[in-house]
Amino acid sequence: MNRPYDVVKRVLDVALAAIGLLLASPVLAVVALAVLVTMGRPVLFRQARPGRHGRLFHLVKFRSMTVGGEDEAPANDGARLTTFGRWLRTTSLDELPQLWNVLRGEMSLVGPRPLLPAYLSRYSPEQLRRHDVRPGITGLQQVYGRNALSWDERFALDVRYVRHRSLGLDLRILLRTVRTVLLREGITAAGAATAHEFLGPAELATAGGRGPVEGRR
């Protein structure tokens, strides 16, 4: 544990998330109204995700699917995504409410993305290291391919971040995130609405073990 880094990172997370929420408040209000008008209530989508050391918290996003769609196995995510919801995802505006998760200390601005709780038992010991830190709104895998990468590639980048994390690396990731969002890079995996299911290590995948599907970032 790098105590000085963790303290400074947390201070910056709180400061930047608070400023971000303040500056983005007009956008948040417009998006919330648009979701309400086009999809109705609820405006926000909440789902349990594992955070640091696997502790569960409720991630919050703008809803992008029909009611109940995001709580189901997303094999047919493309059909459940609304037109406005699809646009929200391509612009990453659906992620803005997660600044609240950052303020609460459940997430960081930079870190491995929080996935589904079912995946905890599927990680290899090395992949499980992604939970040594707080999950992030953006991370190394988000700026180097996102959902276009294979799971092995994505988790390798997550573990690389955990091993080499620093304020300098966090800053580079944040700056590169702006480019990634503007260019809308890596939003979907080939043949999926967002990402394919993570089956676990190769030997489990070939054995046909399946569980809840990951269809959301």
Side-chain angles (χ1 to χ4, degrees), residues 58-137:
H58 282 90
L59 176 141
V60 59
K61 299 172 60 173
F62 281 119
R63 186 162 67 88
S64 58
M65 291 187 180
T66 55
V67 174
E70 287 166 308
D71 288 319
E72 301 169 4
N76 298 313
D77 264 4
R80 292 195 297 264
L81 276 170
T82 67
T83 300
F84 182 66
R86 189 182 300 276
W87 179 82
L88 277 181
R89 289 195 179 191
T90 60
T91 59
S92 298
L93 289 175
D94 61 323
E95 310 283 359
L96 280 177
Q98 288 166 48
L99 290 171
W100 177 246
N101 289 122
V102 174
L103 278 181
R104 287 172 55 89
E106 298 158 336
M107 293 181 64
S108 175
L109 292 176
V110 179
R113 285 294 297 166
L115 301 175
L116 296 178
Y119 288 4
L120 287 173
S121 62
R122 304 182 189 183
Y123 296 129
S124 68
E126 180 73 359
Q127 291 168 344
L128 195 59
R129 290 197 60 189
R130 69 193 307 277
H131 288 285
D132 288 351
V133 298
R134 287 188 181 93
I137 295 179

Side-chain angles (χ1 to χ4, degrees), residues 6 9 27 49 58 67 105 117 124 148 156 178 187 194 202 208 215:
D6 288 339
K9 180 180 174 73
V27 177
R49 298 286 178 95
H58 282 90
V67 174
S124 68
V178 176
I187 294 171
T194 48

Side-chain angles (χ1 to χ4, degrees), residues 43-44 57 67 71 78 83 129 133 156 162 173 179 187 189 196 201:
V43 170
L44 296 175
F57 70 98
V67 174
D71 288 319
T83 300
R129 290 197 60 189
V133 298
V162 171
I173 290 172
R179 175 184 181 277
I187 294 171
H196 294 289

Side-chain angles (χ1 to χ4, degrees), residues 16 21 23 84 100 114 117 151-152 161-162 170 174 190 204 207:
L16 294 177
L21 282 172
L23 295 179
F84 182 66
W100 177 246
W151 282 113
D152 283 346
Y161 172 78
V162 171
D170 287 352
L174 287 172
L204 295 181

